[in-house]
Every structure is written in structure tokens, then in C-alpha cells.
Amino acid sequence: MGNDMQGTVTMVISRRQFSLLGAGVAATTLSAAPTAREATRDHKPAVRNVVLVHGAYADGSSWAKVIPLLQAAGMNVIAVQNPLTSLADDVAATNFALARQHGPTVLVAHSYGGTVISQAGLAPNVTGLVYVAARAPEAGEDFAALSAKFPTPPVNSGIITSGGFRFLSQPAFLQDFANGVPRKEALVLYAAQGPLSTTPPTTSIAAWHQKPSWYAVSKNDRTINPELEHFMAQRMNATTIEVDAGHLSLVTHPEVISRLILQAATQS
């Protein structure tokens, strides 16, 4: 967690935040970014519920370092366990988690989970969407075709397809998916890897058109190209930060990610 406290995140203000706050206030906000606890102490979140959605090649335990920080800030938190058998199944699991919340809820996703929340995010109790190095497709968009417009991420060479599912080889998982994570910890995450269905996960809606959004770009991402992450964040007009991390910023920089979620809870 030491990296988080040493300012390894660069804030990028979106047009929406600029128009709401004004240039002077925005500059002040960036120069004095609070910790997760400070954000709660100084600005009590209007939203008390957070639903976390994991991505492919992972499970809900990938949020293990973020969850206690949000709980310490007084948030009610649920981490969805996506079956990864189809987009419809994953959306159903997320909708079930959302239905269990009492009151306004921030919906958060990592990686492939961004496709899930783009589809599920119109639930009436969702006040904001947070994307962490995540896919953010347009309705009906072929994400593979979109990705092909940007440099191919290194992890692709380690994808194995078998039995209708995709999963990562151990070298690809450790070097590309979990780059920046200590090897011992990355091996534990590898053991919990969740294979993803090969069925193309095409959304019928893009909830980010109707809900305010936040995006954490991973500057050293080897799973989703950082240029693509910036493109998606800009396209949705998301309030955006850059994290000096690989794909698993939620593991290596939980304070930064928790802070962004709390910001969304306060502002959505």
C-alpha cells in the first residue's frame, strides 16, 4: 500500500467535472487528493452501497484489498462472483447483487467486468459507474474489433482456448495480467483464475450514456492497451485518473482505487 501514499496517481479532469467545479476548484482538488478515510471524514458519501464486479481470469477475491478500505469508510460492500459462462449470466449475477442493496449504489468493475456493468448499470438504484482498467463498450460494439485498432497487448499471446473457454497460461498471467504484483501473491491469484466463455459478450445498451462515470487508467497495462483505456474513458466523458500500475491496480494500488470509488459515491 506504500505506493499509494507516494502519489503514484495522476488526476485528469473530465469536461463534466471542469464544468461543474470550475478550473480553480478543480486544480485545488487535484493538488490535495485525500486518502479514503479523509474523503469520508470531510465529505460524507451520499451513497452508502458499493457493488464490485470482477473481470475475466479472476474472481471476487481480486477486490480483497479494496473491500476493507471501503468498509472502514462506512460503505456497505458486495463483491459479485461472476460465473463467466456468458454475459447474460454475469449480468444476472450483478443484478441479483444490486437488488440486495437498500438505497443508492455505486457499481464498480475491473477489466471484462466493465462490459457487465455497461449492460447492468441502468438499474434504478445505480447512481454512478466506476471502471478500473475496464472495458467500456458501446451498445452492440465488437470489443475485439475495437481493440484491434490499438497496439496488441502482450497478454494476448498467452491466451489458451479449450472447451469453449479462454484462460491464461501461467507465464502470461504472472508477467502480463498481474505485472507489478509480487510473484507469491500473483501465484495465488493465478490459482483462483476464472476462465471466460468464448461467446462474444456484446451489450445491447451502454449505461454510461445515462449514468455518471469514473475511469482509472492503468499506465503500465499489458492486458488492455492503455491507449484504448484512454479512448474509452474520453468517449464516455468519464472523470479520469491515471494509475502507475499494471492491469491489477485494484491489487497493487487499493488506496487509489478506493479513493476513486468514494469520490464517485460522494459526487454521483
Side-chain angles (χ1 to χ4, degrees):
M1 219 175 276
N3 287 342
D4 295 333
M5 305 307 292
Q6 295 175 9
T8 54
V9 57
T10 301
M11 300 290 290
V12 181
I13 287 292
S14 72
R15 292 189 299 273
R16 180 179 64 252
Q17 189 175 18
F18 223 78
S19 63
L20 289 175
L21 299 179
V25 176
T28 301
T29 301
L30 297 186
S31 63
T35 65
R37 289 186 178 86
E38 287 171 344
T40 303
R41 184 184 66 231
D42 298 335
H43 305 285
K44 183 180 179 181
V47 179
R48 307 302 300 174
N49 305 308
V50 178
V51 170
L52 305 169
V53 182
H54 68 82
Y57 319 128
D59 70 355
S61 67
S62 59
W63 295 103
K65 293 184 179 180
V66 171
I67 291 170
L69 295 175
L70 295 176
Q71 290 175 333
M75 307 300 286
N76 304 310
V77 186
I78 284 183
V80 177
Q81 292 290 355
N82 285 325
L84 301 177
T85 47
S86 70
L87 177 59
D89 291 342
D90 297 335
V91 169
T94 299
N95 282 335
F96 180 64
L98 288 171
R100 293 159 57 193
Q101 306 311 301
H102 299 287
T105 302
V106 169
L107 186 56
V108 186
H110 173 245
S111 195
Y112 155 78
T115 301
V116 179
I117 71 169
S118 293
Q119 182 72 30
L122 289 186
N125 60 334
V126 173
T127 61
L129 305 170
V130 180
Y131 293 78
V132 180
R135 300 182 183 187
E138 181 60 90
E141 186 171 59
D142 182 339
F143 187 78
L146 175 64
S147 299
K149 298 178 180 179
F150 297 83
T152 302
V155 78
N156 283 19
S157 62
I159 295 176
I160 300 170
T161 302
S162 177
F165 287 86
R166 294 189 181 95
F167 54 94
L168 298 179
S169 68
Q170 186 179 90
F173 192 99
L174 300 181
Q175 298 168 19
D176 301 320
F177 185 77
N179 60 312
V181 179
R183 180 178 174 83
K184 184 176 181 180
E185 187 176 359
L187 284 170
V188 173
L189 294 169
Y190 174 74
Q193 176 179 182
L196 178 68
S197 171
T198 56
T199 303
T202 304
T203 60
S204 59
I205 59 175
W208 46 265
H209 279 298
Q210 299 183 44
K211 301 291 176 82
S213 57
W214 287 256
Y215 200 109
V217 172
S218 285
K219 294 169 64 176
N220 306 317
D221 205 316
R222 296 172 62 84
T223 298
I224 298 178
N225 188 283
E227 294 178 29
L228 173 55
E229 293 180 13
H230 271 295
F231 168 81
M232 292 184 291
Q234 184 177 19
R235 180 172 68 175
M236 71 171 73
N237 197 28
T239 299
T240 302
I241 65 171
E242 290 183 331
V243 189
D244 190 11
H247 192 57
L248 295 180
S249 58
L250 65 170
V251 176
T252 60
H253 293 69
E255 271 279 356
V256 172
I257 301 306
S258 299
R259 189 182 311 155
L260 183 65
I261 295 169
L262 289 174
Q263 179 185 355
T266 302
Q267 298 179 358
S268 66

